[in-house]
Amino acid sequence: MVKAVAIITVSDSCFKDNSKDTSGPALLKFIEQHFPEANIHTIIVPDEKEIIERELKYFCDSHIDLVLTTGGTGLSPRDVTPEATKAVLHKEVPAIAVAMTIASLKKTPMAMLSRAVAGIRDRTLIINFPGSKKAVTECIEVVKPILGHGISLITNNLANVRIVHDKLQSDHTCSHMRNTNVDISKVALRPRQSPFPMLEMVEAFNIVDAVMMQWVERTETVSIEDSAGCVVAQDIIAREPMPPFPASVKDGYACLSLDGVGKRRVQAVVAAGDTPLSPLTRGQCARVNTGAPLPLGADCVVQVEDTKLIQASADNQTELEVEILVAPKPHQDVRPIGFDIPLGSLLVEKGDVIDAAKIGILAGAGYQEITVVEHPKVGIMSTGNELQEPSDSFLRPSHIRDSNRIMIKSLLKEHGFESIDCGIARDHPGELSHALENALAVCDVLVCTGGVSMGERDLLKPVLIKDFNATVHFGRVRMKPGKPSTFATCKYEGRTKFIFALPGNPVSAYVCCLLLVVRALRQCTRYSGEWARLGVKLARDITLDPRPEYARAQLSFPDIQDLPVATLLGNQCSSRLLSACGANVLLELPGATPECPMLPAGSVVPALLTGRIDLPRL
């Protein structure tokens, strides 16, 4: 999807008189017609290489998807657009210019004199066009078919890339489908009961923990600025003491403690960052600020409040003599070398999670980069014939916009994990198999939503088993929401891939992602997968479901001395995502029994802390 376009007209004459520009408006009209939702920027510059380079870099740094230039591609001395473009490109795409030349040669042999260039800088596609309106109109038709797909490739929009690939490779029933061993032709013979046993949640958790230990830990080096939330891969030792010199704890006077009370000559002034030039001797002191180094000979600091001025310079800008009123003790108000961090001490231990305080310690110790456990590459894929992209302007009949991918992507990001969008897979064995193959090629952990229940088009489990020889570690869990949640592994290109197939209902996907996927990803970094639990009181009566339920709730603190109170957030139906908005806990409600069909208000239940807690004001 093209979101932003820049059009640069390069012409001395048009720069002086904008009304002479006809090729720029022709490009503008084309973009408005074919990419009506794109933000468009237009500019006219003279034929100056440095100016052209500057504008190209500006638009690329501004995350523009597509930059089109017109003019300056000929043979005259002032025609320097190709040179300026080549100077900023990271990759050339010569076939674009070749295609335009071939098409133009069919119109005129003069096309041989055009030197257009095309290529990529960062995530921006840049294409040079000739300077005449006629040539621009002809050439833009040549590149029109590849613009959207090219930008999808550059921006790593796998969903759009896959759609285009599928359209180009074949019709809807053949070559874009992977060979599949799943036969859906005999609908009447489909299973009426799930072949997968129903596991208790504790069993599912234990399986996830055990299987994810197969993840082969990899490490990477990151800057400390980007390390928050990362798990340290090796012990980090202090390479220097902190402080590296005896430092004053207070504003006052560095003294010799054996001098006791009495008058002192102020021998020097030492501020933080200064280096004392002379040692102190008996009867001398040095005025020091907090954090300043002590002169040699000094072993204590007397705070300003325990002194009296005896003599100052005529202009009162310099203290010459002070009186120490309280006898100091050795080492008083002095931080000795290594007081905060001794040389060789353990700053951060392997397995620690980096937070703001640890970043501060590492920065103070001179570390700019550290080795951390690399996070697995996570792919997110939705399945369903009824789904369309949330960015589509118009909702097609009988369709819904896919909210699961962006929701799960955001949820994982909240917990420190980035992810790759693997698009929407259709409910056909061949297409689903093809989509899974593409996704497994780019990720270590794949999170799918939809296609795991008992419908005739719920194909994820059979496709995984029959086409990828996957091991399904569990296919049903005794929980609400999320009973058909599935966890599987398979070998792909010699590496173990971990697949979570979650229900398609948004709340089920949300809850199961929190409980299972986030837990698994934390296990990959050897960071405890367990959620923090706390006891909470129910605000209202709750009728229990036969299955143990994870109910979305929000905490309040009516009495700071008492347990927090949990209030359910709206209808807990698995399709109503509103019940997750504002939730900061999942209540672990037991399954109903004849003896206990409901829990009255005030009952204490365990809750998993999943969101930010805002404490009341005291």
Side-chain angles (χ1 to χ4, degrees), residues 223-256:
S223 70
I224 60 170
E225 290 183 28
D226 300 326
S227 66
C230 294
V231 175
V232 180
Q234 60 190 29
D235 291 349
I236 301 177
I237 306 300
R239 299 177 296 196
E240 55 194 25
M242 179 61 68
F245 49 81
S248 174
V249 175
K250 293 182 178 179
D251 295 326
Y253 298 86
C255 300
L256 282 69

Side-chain angles (χ1 to χ4, degrees), residues 99-111 130 135 138-139 142:
M100 291 194 297
T101 301
I102 291 173
S104 297
L105 284 172
K106 295 177 182 179
K107 307 287 185 179
T108 173
M110 298 301 159
E138 293 170 354
C139 290
V142 176

Side-chain angles (χ1 to χ4, degrees), residues 322-545:
V322 296
E323 182 178 356
I324 305 302
L325 303 176
V326 178
K329 297 178 181 179
H331 314 301
Q332 172 181 299
D333 289 332
V334 176
R335 283 191 304 148
I337 294 173
F339 177 81
D340 297 324
I341 301 175
L343 176 66
S345 62
L346 183 63
L347 295 176
V348 182
E349 189 174 2
K350 178 180 178 180
D352 283 353
V353 180
I354 294 293
D355 57 18
K358 291 185 176 68
I359 289 174
I361 289 173
L362 292 170
Y367 283 92
Q368 293 302 302
E369 294 181 331
I370 58 171
T371 302
V372 299
V373 178
E374 182 180 336
H375 285 180
K377 292 181 175 62
V378 184
I380 303 171
M381 187 173 76
S382 296
T383 69
N385 292 339
E386 77 282 10
L387 298 179
Q388 68 180 68
E389 294 293 340
S391 59
D392 290 349
S393 300
F394 301 102
L395 190 62
R396 298 193 294 275
S398 303
H399 281 64
I400 59 173
R401 291 186 174 88
D402 177 25
S403 61
N404 281 349
R405 279 179 298 147
I406 191 168
M407 174 187 69
I408 289 178
K409 183 180 184 71
S410 301
L411 184 59
L412 294 180
K413 191 169 185 177
E414 285 179 11
H415 294 275
F417 299 99
E418 298 295 332
S419 55
I420 304 166
D421 186 349
C422 294
I424 299 171
R426 302 303 167 190
D427 292 326
H428 184 282
E431 292 192 53
L432 180 56
S433 187
H434 178 68
L436 285 169
E437 184 177 46
N438 287 344
L440 293 173
V442 298
C443 68
D444 304 303
V445 178
L446 178 60
V447 184
C448 304
T449 58
V452 290
S453 192
M454 292 294 295
E456 63 184 86
R457 291 288 177 173
D458 289 319
L459 303 172
L460 254 178
K461 292 173 187 174
V463 167
L464 285 171
I465 294 170
K466 295 184 179 181
D467 291 350
F468 293 89
N469 196 28
T471 299
V472 176
H473 299 284
F474 58 78
R476 287 195 305 162
V477 184
R478 189 167 174 263
M479 64 180 294
K480 180 183 179 182
K483 180 174 72 172
S485 293
T486 299
F487 176 45
T489 55
C490 71
K491 287 287 185 180
Y492 187 84
E493 296 181 346
R495 295 183 63 175
T496 300
K497 304 289 182 172
F498 306 87
I499 303 110
F500 289 89
L502 310 180
N505 277 328
V507 172
S508 300
Y510 175 88
V511 170
C512 295
C513 183
L514 274 173
L515 295 177
L516 300 174
V517 179
V518 173
R519 182 189 189 95
L521 296 177
R522 288 157 65 100
Q523 285 292 337
C524 286
T525 57
R526 307 300 181 251
Y527 178 50
S528 172
E530 289 292 340
W531 287 103
R533 277 183 170 83
L534 67 162
V536 300
K537 292 167 64 174
L538 298 180
R540 299 183 182 86
D541 297 351
I542 293 181
T543 301
L544 299 176
D545 189 85

